[in-house]
Amino acid sequence: MAWTPSNLTTTQALTNAKKELEYADGQLKSGFESICDAIKTVYDRQSWKFDYESFEDCCYKRWSMTKQRAHQLRNTATFREFLLLSGDEDAVEFA
């Protein structure tokens, strides 16, 4: 049952809302990281070469993703890898 202000106290409603936001944040973050990593893998391993003329063509036709967005996601994964290798856990969490 979803919470509503009428069936919960204000404190309970705020606590539940905070938990829902934290859960959503974790889901979105892990999903975003997975997408970035997947795009980078396709690019690095050149998996697109068998069915498409270019990496950009693959991203657009397969996922309706512009070349700019595909490269942004790939670069994000590359940057995260760099941070992981640097051993700076705080920087990785921030990224």
Side-chain angles (χ1 to χ4, degrees):
M1 177 171 130
W3 63 270
T4 63
S6 62
N7 67 0
L8 295 176
T9 67
T10 302
T11 302
Q12 289 172 322
L14 290 172
T15 300
N16 287 352
K18 183 174 175 143
K19 286 179 183 177
E20 289 173 354
L21 284 172
E22 288 173 0
Y23 176 77
D25 186 49
Q27 292 295 104
L28 289 168
K29 185 174 182 181
S30 66
F32 179 73
E33 290 169 357
S34 295
I35 291 168
C36 293
D37 292 342
I39 293 294
K40 184 178 182 312
T41 299
V42 168
Y43 181 85
D44 289 350
R45 295 184 183 169
Q46 300 182 353
S47 307
W48 52 268
K49 279 195 168 186
F50 296 102
D51 293 324
Y52 300 96
E53 292 182 26
S54 67
F55 171 70
E56 294 81 4
D57 185 47
C58 171
C59 291
Y60 185 74
K61 288 181 179 175
R62 197 167 184 104
W63 303 298
S64 302
M65 186 180 302
T66 64
K67 67 179 182 180
Q68 292 87 355
R69 186 62 177 153
H71 287 292
Q72 287 172 343
L73 295 172
R74 181 179 59 83
N75 290 338
T76 298
T78 300
F79 183 66
R80 283 187 67 254
E81 267 184 11
F82 172 77
L83 291 175
L84 285 168
L85 292 173
S86 76
D88 187 347
E89 292 180 22
D90 292 333
V92 174
E93 182 60 32
F94 179 72

Coordinates of all heavy atoms in Angstrom, one line a residue:
M1 N 0.8 -1.2 0.0 CA 0.0 0.0 0.0 C 0.9 1.2 0.0 O 1.8 1.4 0.8 CB -0.9 0.0 1.2 CG -1.7 1.2 1.4 SD -2.9 0.9 2.7 CE -2.6 2.4 3.6
A2 N 0.6 2.1 -0.9 CA 1.4 3.4 -0.9 C 1.0 4.3 0.3 O -0.1 4.2 0.7 CB 1.1 4.1 -2.2
W3 N 2.0 5.0 0.7 CA 1.7 5.9 1.8 C 1.1 7.2 1.3 O 1.3 7.6 0.2 CB 3.0 6.2 2.6 CG 4.0 6.9 1.8 CD1 5.0 6.4 1.1 CD2 4.1 8.3 1.6 NE1 5.7 7.3 0.5 CE2 5.2 8.6 0.8 CE3 3.4 9.4 2.1 CZ2 5.7 9.8 0.4 CZ3 3.8 10.7 1.8 CH2 4.9 10.9 0.9
T4 N 0.2 7.7 2.1 CA -0.4 9.0 1.8 C -0.4 9.8 3.1 O -0.4 9.2 4.2 CB -1.9 8.9 1.3 OG1 -2.6 8.3 2.3 CG2 -1.9 8.0 0.0
P5 N -0.4 11.1 3.0 CA -0.4 11.9 4.2 C -1.6 11.6 5.1 O -1.5 11.8 6.3 CB -0.4 13.3 3.7 CG 0.2 13.2 2.3 CD -0.2 11.9 1.8
S6 N -2.7 11.2 4.6 CA -3.9 10.9 5.4 C -3.8 9.7 6.3 O -4.4 9.6 7.3 CB -5.1 10.9 4.5 OG -5.0 9.7 3.6
N7 N -3.0 8.7 5.9 CA -2.9 7.5 6.7 C -1.6 7.3 7.4 O -1.4 6.3 8.1 CB -3.2 6.2 5.8 CG -2.2 6.0 4.8 OD1 -1.2 6.7 4.6 ND2 -2.4 4.9 4.0
L8 N -0.8 8.3 7.4 CA 0.5 8.3 8.1 C 0.7 9.6 8.8 O 0.3 10.7 8.4 CB 1.7 8.0 7.2 CG 1.7 6.7 6.5 CD1 2.9 6.6 5.6 CD2 1.8 5.5 7.5
T9 N 1.4 9.6 9.9 CA 1.8 10.8 10.6 C 2.8 11.5 9.7 O 3.4 10.9 8.8 CB 2.5 10.6 11.9 OG1 3.7 9.9 11.7 CG2 1.6 9.8 12.8
T10 N 3.1 12.8 9.9 CA 4.0 13.5 9.1 C 5.4 12.9 9.2 O 6.1 12.8 8.2 CB 4.1 15.0 9.6 OG1 2.7 15.5 9.5 CG2 5.0 15.8 8.7
T11 N 5.8 12.5 10.4 CA 7.1 11.9 10.6 C 7.2 10.6 9.8 O 8.2 10.3 9.1 CB 7.4 11.6 12.1 OG1 7.3 12.9 12.8 CG2 8.8 11.0 12.3
Q12 N 6.2 9.8 9.9 CA 6.2 8.5 9.1 C 6.3 8.8 7.6 O 7.0 8.1 6.9 CB 5.0 7.7 9.5 CG 5.0 7.1 10.8 CD 3.6 6.4 11.2 OE1 2.6 7.0 10.8 NE2 3.7 5.3 11.9
A13 N 5.5 9.7 7.2 CA 5.5 10.0 5.7 C 6.8 10.5 5.3 O 7.3 10.1 4.2 CB 4.4 11.1 5.5
L14 N 7.5 11.4 6.0 CA 8.8 11.9 5.7 C 9.8 10.8 5.7 O 10.7 10.7 4.8 CB 9.2 13.0 6.6 CG 8.4 14.3 6.5 CD1 8.8 15.3 7.6 CD2 8.7 14.9 5.1
T15 N 9.7 9.9 6.7 CA 10.7 8.8 6.7 C 10.5 7.8 5.5 O 11.5 7.4 4.9 CB 10.5 8.0 8.0 OG1 10.7 8.8 9.2 CG2 11.4 6.8 8.1
N16 N 9.3 7.5 5.2 CA 9.0 6.7 4.0 C 9.4 7.3 2.7 O 10.0 6.7 1.9 CB 7.5 6.3 4.0 CG 7.1 5.3 5.0 OD1 7.9 4.8 5.7 ND2 5.8 5.1 5.1
A17 N 9.2 8.6 2.6 CA 9.6 9.3 1.4 C 11.1 9.3 1.2 O 11.6 9.1 0.1 CB 9.1 10.8 1.4
K18 N 11.8 9.5 2.3 CA 13.3 9.5 2.3 C 13.8 8.1 1.9 O 14.7 8.0 1.1 CB 13.8 9.9 3.7 CG 15.3 10.0 3.7 CD 15.9 10.6 5.0 CE 17.4 10.5 4.9 NZ 18.0 11.5 5.5
K19 N 13.2 7.1 2.4 CA 13.6 5.7 2.1 C 13.3 5.4 0.6 O 14.2 4.8 -0.1 CB 12.8 4.7 3.0 CG 13.3 4.6 4.4 CD 12.5 3.6 5.2 CE 13.0 3.6 6.6 NZ 12.2 2.7 7.4
E20 N 12.2 5.9 0.1 CA 11.9 5.7 -1.3 C 12.9 6.4 -2.2 O 13.3 5.9 -3.2 CB 10.5 6.1 -1.6 CG 9.4 5.2 -1.0 CD 8.0 5.8 -1.2 OE1 7.8 6.9 -1.6 OE2 7.1 5.0 -0.8
L21 N 13.2 7.6 -1.8 CA 14.2 8.4 -2.6 C 15.6 7.7 -2.6 O 16.3 7.7 -3.6 CB 14.3 9.8 -2.1 CG 13.2 10.7 -2.5 CD1 13.3 12.1 -1.8 CD2 13.1 10.9 -4.0
E22 N 16.0 7.2 -1.4 CA 17.3 6.6 -1.3 C 17.3 5.3 -2.2 O 18.3 5.0 -2.8 CB 17.6 6.3 0.1 CG 18.0 7.5 1.0 CD 18.1 7.2 2.4 OE1 17.9 6.0 2.9 OE2 18.4 8.2 3.2
Y23 N 16.2 4.5 -2.1 CA 16.1 3.3 -3.0 C 16.2 3.7 -4.4 O 17.0 3.1 -5.2 CB 14.8 2.6 -2.7 CG 14.6 1.4 -3.5 CD1 15.3 0.2 -3.3 CD2 13.8 1.4 -4.6 CE1 15.2 -0.9 -4.1 CE2 13.6 0.3 -5.4 CZ 14.3 -0.8 -5.2 OH 14.1 -1.9 -6.0
A24 N 15.4 4.7 -4.8 CA 15.4 5.1 -6.3 C 16.8 5.6 -6.7 O 17.3 5.3 -7.8 CB 14.4 6.2 -6.5
D25 N 17.5 6.3 -5.8 CA 18.8 6.8 -6.1 C 19.8 5.7 -6.4 O 20.5 5.7 -7.3 CB 19.3 7.7 -4.9 CG 20.6 8.4 -5.2 OD1 20.7 9.0 -6.3 OD2 21.5 8.3 -4.3
G26 N 19.7 4.7 -5.5 CA 20.6 3.5 -5.7 C 20.3 2.8 -7.0 O 21.2 2.4 -7.7
Q27 N 19.0 2.6 -7.3 CA 18.6 1.9 -8.5 C 19.1 2.7 -9.7 O 19.6 2.1 -10.7 CB 17.1 1.7 -8.6 CG 16.6 0.7 -7.5 CD 17.1 -0.7 -7.8 OE1 18.0 -1.1 -7.1 NE2 16.6 -1.3 -8.7
L28 N 18.8 4.0 -9.7 CA 19.2 4.8 -10.9 C 20.7 4.9 -11.1 O 21.2 4.8 -12.2 CB 18.7 6.2 -10.7 CG 17.2 6.4 -10.9 CD1 16.7 7.7 -10.4 CD2 16.8 6.1 -12.3
K29 N 21.5 5.0 -10.0 CA 22.9 5.0 -10.0 C 23.5 3.7 -10.6 O 24.3 3.7 -11.5 CB 23.5 5.3 -8.7 CG 25.0 5.5 -8.7 CD 25.5 6.0 -7.4 CE 27.0 6.2 -7.5 NZ 27.6 6.6 -6.2
S30 N 23.0 2.6 -10.1 CA 23.5 1.3 -10.5 C 23.1 1.1 -12.0 O 23.9 0.6 -12.8 CB 23.1 0.2 -9.7 OG 21.7 0.0 -9.7
G31 N 21.9 1.5 -12.4 CA 21.5 1.4 -13.7 C 22.3 2.2 -14.7 O 22.7 1.8 -15.8
F32 N 22.6 3.5 -14.3 CA 23.4 4.4 -15.1 C 24.8 3.8 -15.3 O 25.3 3.8 -16.4 CB 23.4 5.8 -14.4 CG 24.2 6.8 -15.2 CD1 23.8 7.3 -16.4 CD2 25.5 7.2 -14.7 CE1 24.5 8.2 -17.1 CE2 26.2 8.1 -15.4 CZ 25.8 8.6 -16.6
E33 N 25.4 3.3 -14.2 CA 26.7 2.8 -14.3 C 26.7 1.6 -15.2 O 27.7 1.4 -16.0 CB 27.2 2.4 -12.9 CG 27.5 3.6 -12.0 CD 27.8 3.2 -10.6 OE1 27.7 2.0 -10.2 OE2 28.1 4.1 -9.8
S34 N 25.7 0.7 -15.2 CA 25.6 -0.4 -16.1 C 25.5 0.0 -17.5 O 26.1 -0.6 -18.4 CB 24.4 -1.3 -15.7 OG 24.6 -1.8 -14.4
I35 N 24.7 1.0 -17.8 CA 24.6 1.5 -19.1 C 25.9 2.0 -19.7 O 26.3 1.7 -20.8 CB 23.5 2.6 -19.2 CG1 22.1 1.9 -19.0 CG2 23.5 3.3 -20.6 CD1 21.0 2.9 -18.7
C36 N 26.6 2.8 -18.9 CA 27.9 3.4 -19.3 C 28.8 2.3 -19.6 O 29.5 2.3 -20.6 CB 28.4 4.3 -18.2 SG 27.5 5.8 -17.9
D37 N 28.9 1.3 -18.7 CA 29.8 0.2 -18.9 C 29.5 -0.7 -20.1 O 30.4 -1.1 -20.9 CB 29.9 -0.7 -17.6 CG 30.5 -0.1 -16.4 OD1 31.2 1.0 -16.6 OD2 30.2 -0.6 -15.3
A38 N 28.2 -0.9 -20.4 CA 27.8 -1.6 -21.5 C 28.2 -0.9 -22.8 O 28.7 -1.5 -23.8 CB 26.3 -1.9 -21.5
I39 N 27.9 0.4 -22.9 CA 28.3 1.2 -24.1 C 29.8 1.1 -24.3 O 30.3 0.9 -25.4 CB 27.8 2.6 -24.0 CG1 26.3 2.7 -24.0 CG2 28.4 3.5 -25.0 CD1 25.6 2.3 -25.3
K40 N 30.6 1.3 -23.3 CA 32.0 1.2 -23.4 C 32.5 -0.1 -23.9 O 33.4 -0.2 -24.7 CB 32.7 1.6 -22.0 CG 34.2 1.6 -22.1 CD 34.8 2.0 -20.7 CE 36.3 2.1 -20.8 NZ 37.0 1.0 -21.4
T41 N 31.9 -1.2 -23.4 CA 32.3 -2.5 -23.8 C 32.0 -2.7 -25.3 O 32.8 -3.3 -26.0 CB 31.5 -3.6 -23.0 OG1 31.9 -3.5 -21.6 CG2 31.8 -5.0 -23.4
V42 N 30.8 -2.3 -25.7 CA 30.5 -2.4 -27.2 C 31.5 -1.6 -28.0 O 32.0 -2.1 -29.0 CB 29.1 -1.9 -27.4 CG1 28.8 -1.7 -28.9 CG2 28.0 -2.8 -26.8
Y43 N 31.9 -0.5 -27.5 CA 32.9 0.4 -28.3 C 34.3 -0.3 -28.2 O 34.9 -0.5 -29.3 CB 32.9 1.8 -27.6 CG 33.9 2.7 -28.3 CD1 33.5 3.4 -29.5 CD2 35.2 2.8 -27.9 CE1 34.4 4.2 -30.2 CE2 36.1 3.7 -28.6 CZ 35.7 4.3 -29.7 OH 36.5 5.2 -30.4
D44 N 34.7 -0.6 -27.0 CA 36.1 -1.2 -26.9 C 36.3 -2.5 -27.6 O 37.3 -2.7 -28.2 CB 36.4 -1.4 -25.4 CG 36.6 -0.1 -24.7 OD1 36.7 1.0 -25.3 OD2 36.7 -0.1 -23.4
R45 N 35.3 -3.3 -27.6 CA 35.4 -4.7 -28.2 C 35.0 -4.6 -29.7 O 35.0 -5.7 -30.4 CB 34.6 -5.7 -27.4 CG 35.2 -5.9 -26.1 CD 34.4 -7.0 -25.4 NE 35.0 -7.2 -24.0 CZ 34.4 -7.9 -23.1 NH1 33.3 -8.5 -23.3 NH2 34.9 -7.9 -21.9
Q46 N 34.5 -3.5 -30.1 CA 34.1 -3.3 -31.5 C 33.0 -4.3 -31.9 O 32.9 -4.8 -33.0 CB 35.2 -3.3 -32.5 CG 36.2 -2.2 -32.2 CD 37.4 -2.2 -33.2 OE1 37.5 -3.0 -34.0 NE2 38.2 -1.1 -33.0
S47 N 32.1 -4.6 -30.9 CA 31.0 -5.6 -31.1 C 30.1 -5.1 -32.2 O 29.4 -6.0 -32.8 CB 30.2 -5.8 -29.8 OG 31.1 -6.1 -28.8
W48 N 30.0 -3.9 -32.5 CA 29.1 -3.3 -33.5 C 29.5 -3.7 -34.9 O 28.7 -3.6 -35.8 CB 29.0 -1.8 -33.3 CG 30.4 -1.2 -33.3 CD1 31.1 -0.9 -32.2 CD2 31.1 -0.7 -34.4 NE1 32.3 -0.3 -32.6 CE2 32.3 -0.2 -34.0 CE3 30.9 -0.7 -35.8 CZ2 33.3 0.3 -34.8 CZ3 31.9 -0.2 -36.6 CH2 33.1 0.3 -36.1
K49 N 30.7 -4.0 -35.2 CA 31.3 -4.2 -36.5 C 30.6 -5.2 -37.4 O 30.6 -5.1 -38.6 CB 32.8 -4.5 -36.5 CG 33.6 -3.2 -36.2 CD 35.1 -3.5 -36.5 CE 35.8 -2.2 -36.6 NZ 37.2 -2.4 -37.0
F50 N 30.0 -6.2 -36.8 CA 29.4 -7.3 -37.6 C 28.1 -6.9 -38.2 O 27.7 -7.4 -39.3 CB 29.3 -8.5 -36.8 CG 30.6 -9.1 -36.3 CD1 31.0 -8.9 -35.0 CD2 31.4 -9.7 -37.2 CE1 32.2 -9.3 -34.6 CE2 32.6 -10.2 -36.8 CZ 33.1 -10.0 -35.5
D51 N 27.4 -5.9 -37.6 CA 26.0 -5.6 -38.1 C 25.8 -4.1 -38.5 O 24.8 -3.8 -39.1 CB 25.0 -5.9 -37.0 CG 24.8 -7.4 -36.8 OD1 25.0 -8.2 -37.8 OD2 24.6 -7.8 -35.6
Y52 N 26.8 -3.3 -38.2 CA 26.6 -1.9 -38.4 C 27.9 -1.3 -39.0 O 29.0 -1.8 -38.9 CB 26.3 -1.1 -37.1 CG 25.1 -1.7 -36.4 CD1 25.2 -2.7 -35.4 CD2 23.8 -1.2 -36.8 CE1 24.0 -3.2 -34.8 CE2 22.7 -1.7 -36.2 CZ 22.8 -2.7 -35.2 OH 21.6 -3.2 -34.6
E53 N 27.7 -0.1 -39.7 CA 28.8 0.5 -40.4 C 29.7 1.3 -39.4 O 30.9 1.5 -39.7 CB 28.3 1.5 -41.4 CG 27.6 0.8 -42.6 CD 27.1 1.8 -43.6 OE1 27.7 2.9 -43.7 OE2 26.2 1.5 -44.3
S54 N 29.1 1.7 -38.3 CA 29.9 2.4 -37.3 C 29.3 2.3 -35.9 O 28.2 1.8 -35.7 CB 29.9 3.9 -37.6 OG 28.6 4.5 -37.4
F55 N 30.1 2.6 -34.9 CA 29.6 2.6 -33.5 C 28.4 3.5 -33.3 O 27.4 3.1 -32.7 CB 30.8 3.0 -32.6 CG 30.3 3.2 -31.1 CD1 30.0 2.1 -30.3 CD2 30.3 4.5 -30.6 CE1 29.6 2.3 -29.0 CE2 29.9 4.7 -29.3 CZ 29.6 3.6 -28.5
E56 N 28.5 4.7 -33.9 CA 27.4 5.6 -33.8 C 26.2 5.1 -34.5 O 25.1 5.3 -34.0 CB 27.9 7.0 -34.5 CG 29.0 7.7 -33.7 CD 30.4 7.2 -34.0 OE1 30.5 6.3 -34.9 OE2 31.3 7.7 -33.4
D57 N 26.3 4.5 -35.6 CA 25.2 3.9 -36.4 C 24.5 2.8 -35.5 O 23.3 2.7 -35.4 CB 25.7 3.3 -37.7 CG 24.6 2.7 -38.6 OD1 23.6 3.5 -38.8 OD2 24.8 1.6 -39.1
C58 N 25.3 2.0 -34.9 CA 24.8 0.9 -34.0 C 24.0 1.6 -32.8 O 22.8 1.1 -32.6 CB 25.9 0.1 -33.4 SG 25.5 -1.0 -32.1
C59 N 24.5 2.6 -32.2 CA 23.9 3.2 -31.0 C 22.5 3.8 -31.4 O 21.5 3.7 -30.7 CB 24.8 4.2 -30.4 SG 26.2 3.5 -29.5
Y60 N 22.6 4.5 -32.6 CA 21.3 5.1 -33.0 C 20.3 4.1 -33.5 O 19.1 4.2 -33.0 CB 21.6 6.1 -34.2 CG 20.4 6.9 -34.6 CD1 20.0 7.9 -33.8 CD2 19.7 6.5 -35.8 CE1 18.8 8.6 -34.2 CE2 18.6 7.2 -36.1 CZ 18.1 8.3 -35.3 OH 17.0 9.0 -35.7
K61 N 20.6 3.2 -34.3 CA 19.6 2.2 -34.8 C 19.2 1.2 -33.7 O 18.0 0.8 -33.7 CB 20.2 1.4 -36.0 CG 20.3 2.3 -37.2 CD 20.9 1.6 -38.4 CE 21.0 2.5 -39.6 NZ 21.6 1.8 -40.7
R62 N 20.1 0.8 -32.8 CA 19.7 -0.2 -31.8 C 19.0 0.4 -30.6 O 18.1 -0.2 -30.0 CB 21.0 -0.9 -31.4 CG 20.7 -2.2 -30.8 CD 22.0 -3.0 -30.7 NE 21.7 -4.3 -30.1 CZ 21.6 -5.4 -30.8 NH1 21.8 -5.4 -32.1 NH2 21.4 -6.5 -30.2
W63 N 19.5 1.6 -30.1 CA 19.0 2.2 -28.9 C 18.5 3.6 -29.0 O 18.2 4.3 -28.0 CB 20.1 2.2 -27.8 CG 20.7 0.8 -27.6 CD1 20.0 -0.3 -27.1 CD2 22.0 0.4 -27.8 NE1 20.8 -1.4 -27.0 CE2 22.1 -1.0 -27.5 CE3 23.2 1.0 -28.3 CZ2 23.2 -1.8 -27.5 CZ3 24.3 0.2 -28.3 CH2 24.3 -1.1 -28.0
S64 N 18.4 4.1 -30.3 CA 17.9 5.5 -30.5 C 18.7 6.5 -29.7 O 18.2 7.4 -29.2 CB 16.4 5.6 -30.1 OG 15.6 4.7 -30.9
M65 N 20.0 6.3 -29.7 CA 20.9 7.1 -28.9 C 21.8 7.9 -29.9 O 22.4 7.3 -30.8 CB 21.8 6.2 -28.1 CG 22.7 6.9 -27.1 SD 23.7 5.8 -26.2 CE 22.5 4.8 -25.4
T66 N 21.9 9.2 -29.7 CA 22.7 10.0 -30.6 C 24.2 9.7 -30.3 O 24.6 9.1 -29.3 CB 22.5 11.5 -30.3 OG1 23.0 11.8 -28.9 CG2 21.1 11.9 -30.4
K67 N 25.0 10.0 -31.3 CA 26.4 9.7 -31.1 C 27.0 10.5 -30.0 O 27.9 10.0 -29.3 CB 27.2 10.0 -32.4 CG 27.3 11.4 -32.9 CD 28.1 11.5 -34.2 CE 28.2 13.0 -34.6 NZ 28.9 13.1 -35.8
Q68 N 26.5 11.7 -29.8 CA 27.0 12.5 -28.7 C 26.7 11.9 -27.3 O 27.6 11.8 -26.5 CB 26.4 13.9 -28.7 CG 26.8 14.8 -29.8 CD 26.0 14.6 -31.1 OE1 25.1 13.7 -31.1 NE2 26.2 15.4 -32.1
R69 N 25.5 11.4 -27.2 CA 25.2 10.7 -25.9 C 25.9 9.4 -25.7 O 26.4 9.1 -24.6 CB 23.6 10.4 -25.9 CG 23.2 9.9 -24.6 CD 23.4 10.9 -23.4 NE 22.9 10.4 -22.2 CZ 23.4 10.8 -21.0 NH1 24.4 11.6 -20.9 NH2 22.9 10.3 -19.9
A70 N 26.1 8.7 -26.8 CA 26.9 7.4 -26.7 C 28.3 7.7 -26.2 O 28.8 7.0 -25.3 CB 26.9 6.7 -28.0
H71 N 28.9 8.7 -26.8 CA 30.3 9.0 -26.4 C 30.3 9.6 -25.0 O 31.3 9.4 -24.2 CB 30.9 9.9 -27.4 CG 31.3 9.2 -28.7 ND1 32.3 8.2 -28.7 CD2 30.7 9.3 -29.9 CE1 32.3 7.8 -30.0 NE2 31.4 8.4 -30.7
Q72 N 29.3 10.3 -24.6 CA 29.3 10.8 -23.2 C 29.2 9.7 -22.2 O 30.0 9.6 -21.2 CB 28.0 11.7 -22.9 CG 28.1 13.1 -23.6 CD 26.7 13.8 -23.5 OE1 25.7 13.2 -23.2 NE2 26.8 15.1 -23.7
L73 N 28.4 8.7 -22.5 CA 28.3 7.5 -21.6 C 29.6 6.7 -21.6 O 30.0 6.2 -20.5 CB 27.1 6.6 -22.0 CG 25.7 7.3 -21.9 CD1 24.6 6.4 -22.5 CD2 25.4 7.6 -20.4
R74 N 30.2 6.5 -22.8 CA 31.4 5.8 -22.9 C 32.5 6.5 -22.1 O 33.3 5.9 -21.3 CB 31.8 5.6 -24.3 CG 33.1 4.9 -24.5 CD 33.4 4.7 -26.0 NE 33.6 6.0 -26.7 CZ 34.7 6.7 -26.7 NH1 35.8 6.3 -26.0 NH2 34.8 7.8 -27.3
N75 N 32.6 7.8 -22.2 CA 33.6 8.6 -21.5 C 33.4 8.6 -20.0 O 34.3 8.6 -19.2 CB 33.6 10.1 -22.0 CG 34.2 10.2 -23.4 OD1 34.9 9.3 -23.9 ND2 33.8 11.2 -24.1
T76 N 32.1 8.5 -19.6 CA 31.8 8.4 -18.2 C 32.4 7.1 -17.6 O 33.0 7.1 -16.5 CB 30.3 8.5 -17.9 OG1 29.8 9.8 -18.4 CG2 29.9 8.3 -16.5
A77 N 32.2 6.0 -18.3 CA 32.7 4.7 -17.9 C 34.2 4.7 -17.8 O 34.8 4.2 -16.9 CB 32.2 3.6 -18.8
T78 N 34.8 5.4 -18.8 CA 36.3 5.5 -18.8 C 36.8 6.3 -17.6 O 37.8 5.9 -17.0 CB 36.8 6.1 -20.2 OG1 36.3 5.3 -21.3 CG2 38.3 6.3 -20.2
F79 N 36.1 7.3 -17.3 CA 36.5 8.2 -16.2 C 36.3 7.4 -14.9 O 37.2 7.5 -14.0 CB 35.7 9.5 -16.2 CG 36.1 10.4 -15.1 CD1 37.3 11.0 -15.1 CD2 35.2 10.7 -14.1 CE1 37.7 11.9 -14.1 CE2 35.5 11.6 -13.1 CZ 36.8 12.2 -13.1
R80 N 35.2 6.7 -14.8 CA 35.0 5.9 -13.5 C 36.1 4.8 -13.4 O 36.6 4.6 -12.3 CB 33.7 5.2 -13.6 CG 32.5 6.1 -13.3 CD 31.2 5.4 -13.1 NE 31.2 4.5 -11.9 CZ 31.3 3.2 -12.0 NH1 31.4 2.6 -13.1 NH2 31.3 2.5 -10.9
E81 N 36.5 4.2 -14.5 CA 37.6 3.2 -14.4 C 38.9 3.9 -13.9 O 39.6 3.3 -13.1 CB 37.9 2.6 -15.8 CG 37.1 1.4 -16.1 CD 37.5 0.8 -17.5 OE1 38.5 1.3 -18.1 OE2 36.8 -0.1 -18.0
F82 N 39.2 5.0 -14.4 CA 40.4 5.8 -14.0 C 40.3 6.0 -12.5 O 41.3 5.8 -11.8 CB 40.5 7.1 -14.8 CG 41.6 8.0 -14.3 CD1 42.9 7.7 -14.6 CD2 41.3 9.1 -13.5 CE1 43.9 8.6 -14.1 CE2 42.2 9.9 -13.0 CZ 43.6 9.7 -13.3
L83 N 39.2 6.5 -12.0 CA 39.0 6.7 -10.6 C 39.2 5.5 -9.8 O 39.8 5.5 -8.7 CB 37.7 7.4 -10.3 CG 37.5 8.8 -10.8 CD1 36.1 9.3 -10.6 CD2 38.5 9.8 -10.2
L84 N 38.6 4.4 -10.3 CA 38.7 3.1 -9.5 C 40.2 2.7 -9.4 O 40.7 2.2 -8.4 CB 37.9 2.0 -10.2 CG 36.4 2.1 -10.0 CD1 35.7 1.1 -11.0 CD2 36.0 1.8 -8.6
L85 N 40.9 2.9 -10.5 CA 42.4 2.5 -10.5 C 43.2 3.4 -9.6 O 44.2 3.0 -9.1 CB 42.9 2.5 -12.0 CG 42.3 1.4 -12.9 CD1 42.8 1.6 -14.3 CD2 42.7 0.0 -12.4
S86 N 42.7 4.6 -9.5 CA 43.5 5.6 -8.6 C 43.3 5.3 -7.2 O 44.1 5.7 -6.4 CB 43.0 7.0 -8.9 OG 41.7 7.2 -8.2
G87 N 42.3 4.5 -6.8 CA 42.1 4.1 -5.4 C 41.4 5.1 -4.6 O 41.3 4.9 -3.4
D88 N 41.0 6.2 -5.1 CA 40.3 7.2 -4.4 C 38.8 6.9 -4.3 O 38.0 7.2 -5.2 CB 40.5 8.6 -5.1 CG 39.9 9.7 -4.3 OD1 39.2 9.5 -3.3 OD2 40.3 10.9 -4.6
E89 N 38.4 6.2 -3.3 CA 37.0 5.7 -3.1 C 36.0 6.9 -3.0 O 34.9 6.7 -3.5 CB 36.9 4.8 -1.9 CG 37.7 3.5 -2.0 CD 37.5 2.6 -0.8 OE1 36.6 2.8 0.0 OE2 38.4 1.7 -0.6
D90 N 36.4 8.0 -2.4 CA 35.5 9.1 -2.3 C 35.2 9.7 -3.7 O 34.1 10.0 -3.9 CB 36.1 10.2 -1.4 CG 36.2 9.8 0.1 OD1 35.4 8.9 0.5 OD2 37.1 10.3 0.8
A91 N 36.2 9.8 -4.5 CA 36.0 10.3 -5.9 C 35.1 9.4 -6.7 O 34.3 9.8 -7.4 CB 37.4 10.5 -6.6
V92 N 35.3 8.1 -6.5 CA 34.5 7.1 -7.3 C 33.0 7.2 -6.8 O 32.1 7.2 -7.6 CB 35.0 5.6 -7.0 CG1 34.0 4.7 -7.7 CG2 36.4 5.5 -7.6
E93 N 32.8 7.4 -5.5 CA 31.4 7.5 -5.0 C 30.8 8.8 -5.5 O 29.6 8.8 -5.9 CB 31.4 7.5 -3.5 CG 30.0 7.6 -2.9 CD 29.1 6.4 -3.2 OE1 29.6 5.3 -3.4 OE2 27.9 6.7 -3.3
F94 N 31.6 9.8 -5.6 CA 31.1 11.1 -6.1 C 30.7 11.0 -7.6 O 29.7 11.6 -8.0 CB 32.1 12.2 -5.9 CG 31.7 13.6 -6.4 CD1 30.7 14.3 -5.7 CD2 32.2 14.1 -7.5 CE1 30.3 15.5 -6.2 CE2 31.8 15.3 -8.0 CZ 30.9 16.0 -7.3
A95 N 31.5 10.3 -8.4 CA 31.3 10.2 -9.8 C 30.1 9.3 -10.1 O 29.4 9.4 -11.0 CB 32.5 9.6 -10.5

